[in-house]
Amino acid sequence: MNLERFREKSKEIKEKITCIGFNQDYSFAQIGYQNGYQLIQTSTFETLETKETDYSIGMFSTLYSSSLIIIRSEDGLKLNIIIRKKRKVQEVENEEKEEEKEECGEEIICTLEFEEPVISIKQNCKYLVVCTKDKICVYLFEDLTRGCYRTFNVKASNGAIALSSSERSYLAYSEKKGDLTVRSLDDDQVIKNFNAHQSAVLQISISPNGSLLASVSIVGKNVRVFDLDNEKERPILFEFVRGKSQATSYGLSFSHDSEYLALTSDRGTGHIFCLQKASRFSGVFLSVGSFAKIKLKKKVPAICAFSSQSPDQIFVLSSSGTLSIYKMNLKKGGECKNLKTIEI
């Protein structure tokens, strides 16, 4: 998540932090700075790498491992595709003894240039999707140097897009106020096109199995979940109520088994909705309130992700420079317990 547009709203954002994010399976957190980046393993909270650069990291993204990194230039007009390789180096301790050690080197394998700033990046093992204000550009990872694979003229000023895993490769985006379009990148076919909200869509997330889509609008009161396998014109499954007051959402994430959905907002709380415990009401599944809640220490932009190793644990990475892990009671819900928090 790029923090540029949130700085005026929050004085708690650390000036040196420019962007925050998780990799595809949430195995590590990534933090961009004005002069480098840091990778932190979520299972142990250990720092995998701290890299200094001579430029500011405006936005960056990674795949399942940390071997390939996509970094946006400060002006937003370039993306550098960098591969990290381990190499052996000789280190001389004294005249009689030498030691061989490993260190990570970087190589720019490709640079993508754009006419307008990049505002959002998504990727899976097949595709790299780049969103600007007026276009969505799709690239094939196997041949990035060939140029853009597909281009869609879409005015997505807030960068609200989502991409499913490579098994289905569904791309979701909003073309008009409140509308959602779901397209299969493999055969370039529109799977769904429907109205999701009365207001503009702010966050979109697709479940790991590619069958569910969740969205929240700029109003932020309700979270809606849609069934992408349903043939109905507007295949709504669930409507969850976050609260009565307006809120700006920052993170929206499904659990790995697609049974839970987590949301973080600017209200200083995180909400977890249970898709299995929702009840039927007036033709749709409506759950009043959340199944579980996370109480954040500060009202700052934060993103959330479920642990792949423990389904009852949720990571929260905040722009104020903290990474936390919370434990949820899978039977009763309620307030989640903070297991650990570290300062970045």
Side-chain angles (χ1 to χ4, degrees), residues 20-130:
I20 55 177
F22 291 101
N23 70 326
Q24 259 50 43
D25 60 359
Y26 313 124
S27 60
F28 60 87
Q30 52 200 34
I31 304 95
Y33 300 98
Q34 293 174 351
N35 60 344
Y37 60 84
Q38 187 176 5
L39 302 176
I40 300 174
Q41 191 168 1
T42 53
S43 60
T44 61
F45 277 40
E46 294 179 358
T47 299
L48 291 176
E49 184 181 3
T50 299
K51 177 72 175 179
E52 291 186 2
T53 62
D54 56 0
Y55 52 87
S56 177
I57 308 294
M59 180 186 300
F60 83 107
S61 186
T62 56
L63 280 169
Y64 294 98
S65 70
S66 59
S67 60
L68 189 142
I69 299 177
I70 305 164
I71 296 180
R72 192 196 73 167
S73 62
E74 196 167 359
D75 60 7
L77 299 177
K78 291 182 180 180
L79 288 181
N80 288 327
I81 316 299
I82 298 172
I83 188 167
R84 296 171 64 249
K85 295 180 178 179
K86 287 186 177 180
R87 59 188 181 189
K88 293 182 178 181
V89 295
Q90 298 291 333
E91 186 172 283
V92 180
E93 287 190 356
N94 51 56
E95 294 181 356
E96 298 179 354
K97 187 177 181 181
E98 288 187 359
E99 276 195 4
E100 195 175 69
K101 292 186 176 182
E102 283 190 344
E103 66 176 26
C104 282
E106 292 186 351
E107 177 186 351
I108 297 178
I109 59 173
C110 181
T111 297
L112 307 177
E113 298 185 0
F114 303 88
E115 295 179 353
E116 52 188 13
V118 174
I119 56 177
S120 185
I121 306 169
K122 299 292 181 182
Q123 72 285 312
N124 58 27
C125 290
K126 286 184 182 179
Y127 301 101
L128 167 64
V129 180
V130 181

Side-chain angles (χ1 to χ4, degrees), residues 41-319:
Q41 191 168 1
T42 53
S43 60
T44 61
F45 277 40
E46 294 179 358
T47 299
L48 291 176
E49 184 181 3
T50 299
K51 177 72 175 179
E52 291 186 2
T53 62
D54 56 0
Y55 52 87
S56 177
I57 308 294
M59 180 186 300
F60 83 107
S61 186
T62 56
L63 280 169
Y64 294 98
S65 70
S66 59
S67 60
L68 189 142
I69 299 177
I70 305 164
I71 296 180
R72 192 196 73 167
S73 62
E74 196 167 359
D75 60 7
L77 299 177
K78 291 182 180 180
L79 288 181
N80 288 327
I81 316 299
I82 298 172
I83 188 167
R84 296 171 64 249
K85 295 180 178 179
K86 287 186 177 180
R87 59 188 181 189
K88 293 182 178 181
V89 295
Q90 298 291 333
E91 186 172 283
V92 180
E93 287 190 356
N94 51 56
E95 294 181 356
E96 298 179 354
K97 187 177 181 181
E98 288 187 359
E99 276 195 4
E100 195 175 69
K101 292 186 176 182
E102 283 190 344
E103 66 176 26
C104 282
E106 292 186 351
E107 177 186 351
I108 297 178
I109 59 173
C110 181
T111 297
L112 307 177
E113 298 185 0
F114 303 88
E115 295 179 353
E116 52 188 13
V118 174
I119 56 177
S120 185
I121 306 169
K122 299 292 181 182
Q123 72 285 312
N124 58 27
C125 290
K126 286 184 182 179
Y127 301 101
L128 167 64
V129 180
V130 181
C131 179
T132 66
K133 185 178 180 181
D134 297 316
K135 290 182 180 180
I136 294 178
C137 303
V138 181
Y139 297 84
L140 288 170
F141 261 119
E142 65 182 18
D143 194 3
L144 288 169
T145 57
R146 192 176 74 174
C148 192
Y149 175 63
R150 289 195 177 105
T151 302
F152 309 114
N153 294 320
V154 177
K155 291 187 178 293
S157 58
N158 63 3
I161 60 173
L163 180 65
S164 70
S165 65
S166 55
E167 185 176 343
R168 284 195 173 188
S169 291
Y170 285 170
L171 173 66
Y173 53 88
S174 181
E175 291 188 88
K176 299 178 182 178
K177 181 181 178 181
D179 286 0
L180 282 175
T181 298
V182 182
R183 183 185 294 268
S184 171
L185 294 182
D186 290 335
D187 54 15
D188 197 23
Q189 296 294 317
V190 173
I191 305 301
K192 297 287 181 185
N193 188 285
F194 55 89
N195 179 262
H197 303 273
Q198 293 182 339
S199 303
V201 176
L202 183 60
Q203 298 286 349
I204 313 171
S205 181
I206 300 178
S207 63
N209 60 13
S211 64
L212 301 176
L213 181 148
S215 63
V216 59
S217 73
I218 58 173
V219 176
K221 294 181 180 180
N222 300 325
V223 180
R224 289 175 176 164
V225 179
F226 301 90
D227 182 2
L228 298 182
D229 292 333
N230 195 306
E231 295 182 357
K232 290 183 179 179
E233 184 177 348
R234 188 172 182 268
I236 187 168
L237 269 182
F238 307 100
E239 183 174 72
F240 296 108
V241 180
R242 182 209 58 81
K244 296 181 179 180
S245 58
Q246 186 168 335
T248 301
S249 62
Y250 300 116
L252 185 64
S253 178
F254 280 96
S255 61
H256 292 266
D257 57 8
S258 303
E259 293 188 2
Y260 297 92
L261 180 66
L263 170 74
T264 48
S265 71
D266 61 352
R267 292 289 175 176
T269 55
H271 297 263
I272 301 170
F273 307 102
C274 181
L275 278 65
Q276 302 302 314
K277 294 183 181 295
S279 56
R280 192 170 182 82
F281 178 77
S282 300
V284 298
F285 288 85
L286 178 64
S287 176
V288 180
S290 50
F291 172 70
K293 288 185 178 182
I294 295 173
K295 189 175 181 181
L296 306 179
K297 292 184 177 181
K298 296 180 180 179
K299 295 182 179 181
V300 295
I303 56 176
C304 52
F306 285 88
S307 168
S308 59
Q309 299 178 338
S310 302
D312 60 345
Q313 294 182 4
I314 304 98
F315 301 111
V316 176
L317 178 62
S318 83
S319 58

